[in-house]
Amino acid sequence: MMTQPRIAIVVSHPIQHFCPQYASLAAISDWQVKVFFASSMGKKAYHDKDFGHSLAWSSLSLDAFEHQFLSEEALPSSKNLDAPKLDHALMAYDPDVVVIYGYWQKVQRRALAWAVGAGKRIYYISDSELAHGAGGPKSWLKTLLLRRRLAPVSRFLTVGTWNEDFYRRVGAPVSKMTRMNFPIDIAAFDHALADSKELREKTRRELGFKPDDFVIATVGKLVPRKRQADLIRAVLIAKPEARLRALVIGSGPDEPALQTLVNGDERVRMCGFISPEALPALYLASDAYAHLSSYEPHSLAISEAIYCGLPVVLSDRCGSYGPSDDVEPGANGFVFPVGDVESLAGMLSRLAQSPSLRQRFAKRSLAYALDAQHQAHGEFLRIALTADGLWNT
């Protein structure tokens, strides 16, 4: 019988949707997991310039998995983030596998170098993709550099179709890829879904929506690349019989301009910043989800929306769609050319006026999301370790 493989996960700081995944992994007896945080940001309050106020997450589940803070300071999660104590901490833990998140930060490059020097397997996670367009000499040079940088990686834990296409472009063989998917806080969502009908009706009443309103949610910081104005404009130009309503969830520097665009129109609700704990109720109050970004590698909000059974309409610059991704065009959503407000309005109106289409899309969203989160909360690691000869049944 094989001994339990030891998994070291090196991450910048406690991240609200990853910590529940670590808790799920720690609850499985087939392996040992320890998470090494370079910063206490998130556990301790920090100022987010885009949201415009201080944040500290209350649902990190830190007591549910073994972890070590390599700094007690709330250091910013920048490219210069480093943890000189990491080498000693990894040596003491002596893992079989080191999981790293990209190569952008110094701490991740330190983890990569330590694992190479110690002869450990490296599992690599990123949201890199090609959905927002790539090409030219700069892109070609980056590809060559990435081929060299990623050569020591044992396995790529992928998050979607575009992500896998990116890895193939930089020379990673399919045999070294295992689909992980990005995790969400399934415990929080399952709690809300247990009383979904009652919670939906209560939330819609509080927001002032009528039973026959077709509510489209969008979640994210109010910054230019998120393009929430496109959804607002689509709702305002749609035919009245579609009864489109927008639920704009988030805060940020674009808020005054968006409020001016809305100009008090009752068809749009601006919610401001909403805590993760309160988000499930707003998804459940909605009939569809829209993501409008000009650049979005792989959206957490889309993963959350489909877990609530929502159809999705997203721009072609979002990396969450494909034949085996959160959104499969024509199966649980539509893709529109970024910035094309008329196309967006037409797709949303079509959903609003076709209950059978909505039901079919909703069923597909939920089925895919359940499988994706099963993978993300443990099955991916079992598959990866088995493929690498580190675990068997």
Side-chain angles (χ1 to χ4, degrees):
M1 182 177 179
M2 299 183 71
T3 58
Q4 287 179 312
R6 296 164 69 84
I7 316 300
I9 300 174
V10 180
V11 66
S12 58
H13 64 287
I15 298 172
Q16 173 263 332
H17 64 286
F18 275 115
C19 285
Q21 180 193 46
Y22 306 149
S24 295
L25 297 180
I28 299 172
S29 61
D30 296 330
W31 46 69
Q32 298 178 50
V33 170
K34 185 171 181 178
V35 182
F36 297 86
F37 295 114
S39 166
S40 64
M41 188 178 80
K43 175 189 176 186
K44 294 183 177 180
Y46 68 98
H47 183 77
D48 189 297
K49 63 181 179 65
D50 288 333
F51 278 132
H53 53 79
S54 293
L55 300 174
W57 306 117
S58 61
S59 57
L60 295 175
S61 308
L62 290 174
D63 59 344
F65 57 91
E66 187 178 0
H67 63 276
Q68 180 178 344
F69 283 99
L70 301 169
S71 173
E72 288 298 329
E73 295 183 57
L75 302 171
S77 182
S78 69
K79 67 179 182 180
N80 293 319
L81 179 64
D82 198 4
K85 296 179 182 178
L86 177 63
D87 301 71
H88 178 75
L90 288 174
M91 188 181 301
Y93 185 60
D94 190 26
D96 298 289
V97 174
V98 178
V99 179
I100 66 173
Y101 291 80
Y103 63 89
W104 178 64
Q105 294 176 321
K106 284 184 177 180
V107 66
Q108 300 296 351
R109 296 196 295 274
R110 179 183 291 276
L112 177 65
W114 182 89
V116 170
K120 306 297 185 179
R121 291 183 185 270
I122 301 160
Y123 285 4
Y124 184 89
I125 302 169
S126 81
D127 59 4
S128 297
E129 45 73 42
L130 302 172
H132 66 283
K138 186 177 179 180
S139 176
W140 177 78
L141 179 60
K142 182 179 178 181
T143 298
L144 289 180
L145 292 173
L146 277 173
R147 282 176 179 266
R148 181 178 302 175
R149 190 182 292 275
L150 299 180
V153 172
S154 310
R155 186 155 298 277
F156 297 86
L157 303 178
T158 70
V159 298
T161 302
W162 285 96
N163 185 226
E164 290 162 354
D165 286 348
F166 173 84
Y167 288 137
R168 280 191 285 269
R169 178 181 174 181
V170 298
V174 173
S175 61
K176 292 176 69 173
M177 298 183 200
T178 296
R179 177 67 70 91
M180 180 186 76
N181 302 303
F182 276 141
I184 68 170
D185 187 350
I186 55 174
F189 278 84
D190 286 345
H191 178 74
L193 287 165
D195 298 307
S196 59
K197 186 176 184 216
E198 181 180 339
L199 186 57
R200 172 183 167 85
E201 292 174 354
K202 175 178 179 291
T203 306
R204 286 174 72 99
R205 283 197 306 270
E206 291 172 348
L207 291 167
F209 292 128
K210 297 177 181 177
D212 57 347
D213 286 340
F214 186 80
V215 180
I216 308 108
T218 190
V219 178
K221 295 177 182 179
L222 305 185
V223 293
R225 74 177 177 90
K226 297 287 188 177
R227 302 186 64 95
Q228 288 93 346
D230 290 351
L231 175 60
I232 295 170
R233 292 190 177 99
V235 166
L236 297 182
I237 68 170
K239 294 180 180 179
E241 57 266 29
R243 296 198 61 83
L244 300 189
R245 302 292 184 265
L247 190 59
V248 180
I249 303 163
S251 62
D254 276 10
E255 189 163 0
L258 294 175
Q259 291 282 14
T260 299
L261 178 62
V262 174
N263 194 28
D265 195 297
E266 65 176 12
R267 288 171 290 179
V268 180
R269 300 287 189 276
M270 300 287 294
C271 294
F273 176 78
I274 300 294
S275 70
E277 295 81 7
L279 269 178
L282 295 178
Y283 287 119
L284 292 174
S286 305
D287 301 291
Y289 182 81
H291 215 79
L292 308 310
S293 297
S294 58
Y295 167 64
E296 192 79 47
H298 205 279
S299 168
L300 170 66
I302 291 176
S303 299
E304 293 174 337
I306 64 169
Y307 198 81
C308 293
L310 293 182
V312 177
V313 178
L314 76 166
S315 85
D316 58 0
R317 298 300 180 88
C318 298
S320 294
Y321 68 92
S324 60
D325 215 319
D326 283 358
V327 181
E328 182 180 348
N332 69 325
F334 297 123
V335 178
F336 71 97
V338 66
D340 189 339
V341 173
E342 289 190 1
S343 291
L344 173 61
M347 291 173 180
L348 293 172
S349 297
R350 181 182 172 192
L351 279 172
Q353 296 175 302
S354 178
S356 62
L357 181 65
R358 290 203 307 273
Q359 290 169 8
R360 177 163 62 85
F361 278 16
K363 184 177 180 181
R364 169 63 178 163
S365 281
L366 182 56
Y368 181 86
L370 290 173
D371 181 68
Q373 292 308 312
H374 174 68
Q375 292 286 117
H377 283 266
E379 185 62 19
F380 81 92
L381 189 53
R382 184 174 288 110
I383 293 170
L385 293 174
T386 300
D388 292 327
L390 296 174
W391 185 87
N392 58 26
T393 54

